[in-house]
Amino acid sequence: MNKMKLEFYSKLENEAFARTSVVAFLMPLDLPMEDVMEIKTILAEAVVNAMIHGYENVQDGIILLEVSYDEHYIYIHVKDDGCGIDDIQKAMEPMYTSKEYLERSGMGMTIMQTFADEFHIHSEAGKGCDLQIKKKIRHGNQTEQ
């Protein structure tokens, strides 16, 4: 098992830092480009959700990002202590956003769920959000079996 842990402020410029750090950490796995792009998308959605929806653009909120892998899976954990999600079922609907005025195209929950082998979200209003994702490792040009 190998593991990395990042803690950073909820400033939008830190989203690219989080994605780039994770991709660099996963380089020894020799993942297919498609999987790298899916992981980058998962991270972008999860981190930006914490920033925009969780902390409602408060730039000193803390986001915790942990990524680990073993022989078979990559584990992604994103946690914030923001305002939480009142209705997870509603948040899981495609194109749903709690910030319509920002012209956003949804919270991306269904996208993250589609790219993950396992997708778990726990949240309570006022208590933040805890997102855990598990993704099977495919090496290089390996195809799904």
Side-chain angles (χ1 to χ4, degrees):
M1 174 80 71
N2 196 6
K3 183 177 184 177
M4 66 167 275
K5 183 177 184 178
L6 292 175
E7 217 177 74
F8 51 91
Y9 284 126
S10 57
K11 296 180 180 204
L12 282 175
E13 63 260 32
N14 288 339
E15 181 268 332
F17 164 71
R19 275 187 299 117
T20 304
S21 299
V22 171
V23 169
F25 173 72
L26 297 176
M27 281 184 71
L29 297 178
D30 188 31
L31 299 170
M33 186 53 65
E34 177 183 344
D35 289 3
V36 171
M37 297 308 290
E38 289 178 1
I39 289 166
K40 286 171 72 173
T41 301
I42 288 168
L43 291 166
E45 295 291 344
V47 168
V48 171
N49 279 350
M51 292 174 178
I52 291 176
H53 299 280
Y55 288 116
E56 299 181 328
N57 291 320
V58 172
Q59 294 194 8
D60 63 351
I62 298 293
I63 296 171
L64 173 66
L65 170 62
E66 295 178 312
V67 179
S68 60
Y69 60 85
D70 58 24
E71 294 176 19
H72 305 288
Y73 292 97
I74 297 166
Y75 306 89
I76 300 170
H77 180 208
V78 180
K79 184 177 183 327
D80 69 71
D81 293 319
C83 66
I85 300 172
D86 291 329
D87 186 344
I88 291 177
Q89 292 290 79
K90 187 137 188 92
M92 292 297 296
E93 293 176 9
M95 305 303 287
Y96 171 78
T97 181
S98 64
K99 308 284 186 228
E100 293 92 6
Y101 59 90
L102 293 177
E103 297 181 20
R104 300 196 44 83
S105 59
M107 293 179 71
M109 297 290 189
T110 54
I111 293 169
M112 290 186 281
Q113 188 173 35
T114 298
F115 290 158
D117 289 290
E118 290 183 26
F119 177 89
H120 302 283
I121 185 166
H122 177 75
S123 184
E124 293 180 45
K127 296 186 179 180
C129 188
D130 192 331
L131 177 65
Q132 296 188 25
I133 291 173
K134 184 175 167 182
K135 183 163 182 63
K136 186 164 180 53
I137 295 174
R138 298 186 303 147
H139 297 282
N141 294 321
Q142 178 181 343
T143 57
E144 295 227 15
Q145 298 176 6

